[in-house]
């Protein structure tokens, strides 16, 4: 049986996962690294997590890569999808997910405590949390061994509904969001890092 402790790393389904939380008979896990890069949605239009193609992929094609034994340990959860705390853009309906992206609230809670910055926006903060946030380093993730430029998606809505919140390559929270598809990313697809999360039955 795995040794489940907060912040420990364990192997499951072919990936390395970090334990973020333990409640009752389950543990909240997120992949230690960015495992791939994808657009949040396949069209540049107003969208929320409930209807985006990245959610469909994670709960379909990605989920189906797990063995039946592993699937039996993945606990479906009802996720709250709150409105953006700074801009008021809509988070959409609650979703039942087997695999999901973390929300901005979860990232602020589990990677050091940055919740005060989420709920009391500083007067000079326009698009990001503070560059000097002491928790930035905890949110940096690698993709294929590199950290520079390796930003990753959250499921929360950005400043408008064609954007989703992301974690910058330096670990700062981009609460204004990156474009869900096109944008200033070189390939025109705005493909962000994917760090799937799930609740694992203990």
């Amino acid at each position: 049986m795995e040794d489940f402790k907060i912040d420990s790393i364990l192997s499951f389904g072919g990936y390395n996962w970090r334990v973020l939380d333990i409640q009752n008979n389950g543990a909240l896990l997120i992949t230690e690294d960015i495992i791939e890069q994808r657009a949040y949605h396949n069209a540049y239009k107003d969208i929320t997590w409930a209807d985006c193609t990245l959610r469909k992929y994670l709960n379909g094609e990605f989920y189906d890569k797990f063995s039946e034994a592993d699937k039996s340990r993945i606990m479906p959860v009802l996720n709250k999808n709150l409105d953006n705390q700074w801009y008021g853009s809509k988070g959409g309906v609650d979703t039942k997910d087997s695999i999901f992206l973390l929300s901005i609230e979860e990232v602020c809670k589990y990677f050091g405590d940055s919740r005060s910055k989420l709920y009391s926006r500083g007067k000079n903060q326009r698009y990001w949390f503070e560059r000097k946030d002491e928790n930035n380093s905890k949110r940096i993730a690698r993709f294929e061994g590199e950290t520079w430029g390796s930003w990753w998606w959250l499921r929360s809505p950005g400043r408008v509904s064609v954007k989703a919140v992301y974690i910058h390559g330096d670990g700062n929270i981009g609460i204004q969001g990156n474009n869900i598809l096109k944008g200033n990313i070189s390939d025109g697809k705005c493909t962000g890092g994917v760090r799937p999360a799930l609740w694992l039955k203990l």
Side-chain angles (χ1 to χ4, degrees):
M1 187 66 183
E2 301 96 339
D3 183 22
F4 285 92
K5 296 177 182 175
I6 301 295
D7 271 345
S8 63
I9 306 296
L10 59 94
S11 179
F12 175 73
Y15 300 98
N16 290 324
W17 305 78
R18 180 175 293 272
V19 180
L20 298 180
D21 195 6
I22 298 173
Q23 293 185 20
N24 302 322
N25 66 331
L28 175 61
L29 312 180
I30 185 173
T31 54
E32 178 66 3
D33 297 317
I34 294 166
I35 63 167
E36 60 182 308
Q37 293 178 313
R38 284 182 171 265
Y40 190 87
H41 193 55
N42 63 0
Y44 188 65
K45 58 184 286 190
D46 289 347
I47 204 77
T48 61
W49 167 247
D51 297 313
C52 76
T53 50
L54 187 49
R55 175 175 178 251
K56 182 179 180 181
Y57 164 74
L58 288 174
N59 285 280
E61 184 181 335
F62 180 79
Y63 175 76
D64 286 337
K65 293 176 184 177
F66 290 92
S67 68
E68 290 305 315
D70 286 344
K71 284 180 181 177
S72 71
R73 296 187 62 194
I74 298 173
M75 304 164 64
V77 293
L78 186 66
N79 278 318
K80 297 282 186 184
N81 298 300
L82 303 181
D83 297 348
N84 187 298
Q85 286 80 2
W86 288 16
Y87 304 104
S89 48
K90 297 300 180 186
V93 298
D94 297 346
T95 50
K96 187 175 183 180
D97 301 308
S98 294
I99 314 284
F100 52 93
L101 302 180
L102 294 183
S103 67
I104 189 172
E105 301 83 25
E106 289 164 337
V107 161
C108 287
K109 175 181 178 181
Y110 292 124
F111 291 80
D113 193 344
S114 295
R115 285 175 286 187
S116 63
K117 296 180 178 66
L118 177 61
Y119 298 113
S120 53
R121 178 181 180 180
K123 62 180 180 180
N124 295 322
Q125 290 175 271
R126 293 187 63 194
Y127 304 121
W128 293 277
F129 279 36
E130 297 170 16
R131 290 288 184 193
K132 296 179 180 178
D133 184 344
E134 67 277 8
N135 295 313
N136 282 351
S137 62
K138 300 171 185 173
R139 296 185 284 257
I140 294 174
R142 293 180 179 275
F143 178 62
E144 298 179 344
E146 300 293 328
T147 58
W148 178 247
S150 297
W151 61 275
W152 48 286
W153 291 115
L154 303 184
R155 70 175 189 268
S156 302
R159 177 169 51 89
V160 290
S161 296
V162 291
K163 295 178 182 287
V165 178
Y166 70 103
I167 305 299
H168 193 272
D170 65 5
N172 202 353
I173 297 176
I175 190 169
Q176 91 285 5
N178 262 345
N179 288 349
I180 59 172
L181 183 61
K182 66 181 184 178
N184 56 358
I185 307 301
S186 58
D187 62 5
K189 296 179 181 177
C190 216
T191 49
V194 180
R195 292 182 74 185
L198 57 83
W199 280 92
L200 189 70
K201 188 182 299 179
L202 303 183

